[in-house]
Amino acid sequence: MSAKGGSSASAWDRERDYHKGPVTLRRGQVPGSTTDQRLLDSHGGADWVHTDPWRVLRIQAEFVEGFGALAEIGPAVSVFGSARTKPDHPTYALGVRVGASLVEAGYAVITGGGPGAMEAANKGAVAAGGTSVGLGIEVPFEQGLNEYVDLGVNFRYFFARKTMFVKYACGFIVLPGGFGTLDELFEAITLVQTKKVTSFPIVLVGTDYWGGLLDWLRSSALEHGTISPADLDLVTMTDDVDVAVRTIVRADRGSQREEPTTHAGPEVGELR
């Protein structure tokens, strides 16, 4: 259909959408590097002295935009997982169930807004009639927010986006995923371990996928004394979506009865 008819961009164009904060770029306008890359890759010279202070204003704007967009979504849970998960993969169906179950339990669903497992959780949230949130990020292979995101915010900076995942969620549910998922997982564990956040349950869904990681933490990290036995209690692992959601609900309700400085983690018995 022609542009004259008022149709949306073609699938070819949408696949090449590049989001730089609120700005959408295509074709020759797509930059060769990301905003984060230019911030972090400062080699030689002193130009950064003049440019970095101005970046602070852009960073501030991202926080203000995120806070304003998410402040009224109500209780929410952040769901992570691989962008590479295909719609016909069992993990995709698992993500749909997770999103729907969270909505049924009274929570909004926050994801990274991309395809794969993130799309699945957003899809489940929409199907259950809940609030579906996507927090996008500027990366070289950016594909834009998936079609099931009802409230979307695009970020230039990973650290601003990460703040939103934690600030507006009362827990994480983590589906099988790669480096990005592992990054969010271990950052969340570190925040709980150091008591930067309290009463914040972290649930790994998929024992076949995550079991080896927890075995390594026990046999290597714990054995070498780089973590403590109590650190292993900070995560729950299960194959059951109902167990995952109950873990979130129980910790959330417990935190409402406790003092703000008290930490209540998931029960050890659910870590297997």
Side-chain angles (χ1 to χ4, degrees):
M1 190 177 295
S2 68
K4 183 177 180 181
S7 67
S8 60
S10 67
W12 190 94
D13 287 332
R14 287 197 302 272
E15 290 174 358
R16 289 157 178 78
D17 282 0
Y18 186 97
H19 296 278
K20 190 174 181 181
V23 178
T24 298
L25 303 170
R26 293 180 182 146
R27 292 177 285 275
Q29 294 296 315
V30 176
S33 62
T34 67
T35 308
D36 262 332
Q37 182 181 351
R38 292 189 294 276
L39 170 66
L40 300 174
D41 286 353
S42 297
H43 299 296
D47 288 346
W48 63 270
V49 173
H50 307 289
T51 59
D52 280 4
W54 288 103
R55 285 195 177 107
V56 172
L57 297 178
R58 180 179 288 168
I59 292 167
Q60 175 181 290
E62 290 215 336
F63 279 107
V64 171
E65 194 73 30
F67 293 158
L70 302 177
E72 297 181 359
I73 63 172
V77 174
S78 291
V79 180
F80 299 99
S82 176
R84 303 183 183 188
T85 302
K86 302 300 182 185
D88 59 353
H89 193 279
T91 298
Y92 190 96
L94 188 65
V96 173
R97 294 203 302 274
V98 166
S101 296
L102 285 171
V103 168
E104 290 165 1
Y107 297 95
V109 173
I110 303 174
T111 78
M118 294 175 283
E119 176 184 292
N122 288 131
K123 180 178 180 179
V126 169
T131 302
S132 175
V133 180
L135 307 181
I137 185 66
E138 177 194 358
V139 290
F141 40 86
E142 176 68 53
Q143 292 184 326
L145 298 176
N146 69 68
E147 63 179 304
Y148 301 103
V149 169
D150 293 328
L151 172 58
V153 184
N154 283 301
F155 291 87
R156 289 181 173 93
Y157 298 101
F158 266 111
F159 53 83
R161 178 181 183 239
K162 287 180 176 181
T163 300
M164 305 303 154
F165 280 131
V166 177
K167 178 173 175 58
Y168 292 103
C170 55
F172 282 0
I173 290 183
V174 189
L175 299 165
F179 288 149
T181 302
L182 290 169
D183 175 47
E184 297 292 354
L185 167 61
F186 279 104
E187 181 158 21
I189 293 174
T190 302
L191 290 172
V192 176
Q193 180 199 47
T194 56
K195 300 190 184 302
K196 295 294 185 180
V197 293
T198 56
S199 301
F200 197 87
I202 303 166
V203 185
L204 307 179
V205 179
T207 57
D208 287 345
Y209 189 87
W210 296 112
L213 174 62
L214 294 182
D215 288 343
W216 177 83
L217 289 173
R218 292 189 190 95
S219 64
S220 187
L222 183 61
E223 185 69 20
H224 283 77
T226 54
I227 64 172
S228 70
D231 292 335
L232 292 172
D233 301 342
L234 301 179
V235 294
T236 296
M237 183 172 66
T238 183
D239 288 315
D240 191 324
V241 172
D242 290 336
V243 170
V245 174
R246 281 202 305 270
T247 300
I248 299 288
V249 172
R250 183 168 59 247
D252 185 29
R253 290 176 179 171
S255 69
Q256 295 172 18
R257 295 192 298 267
E258 297 168 355
E259 293 298 322
T261 56
T262 302
H263 166 65
E267 293 183 3
V268 182
E270 290 182 352
L271 177 61
R272 56 182 184 273

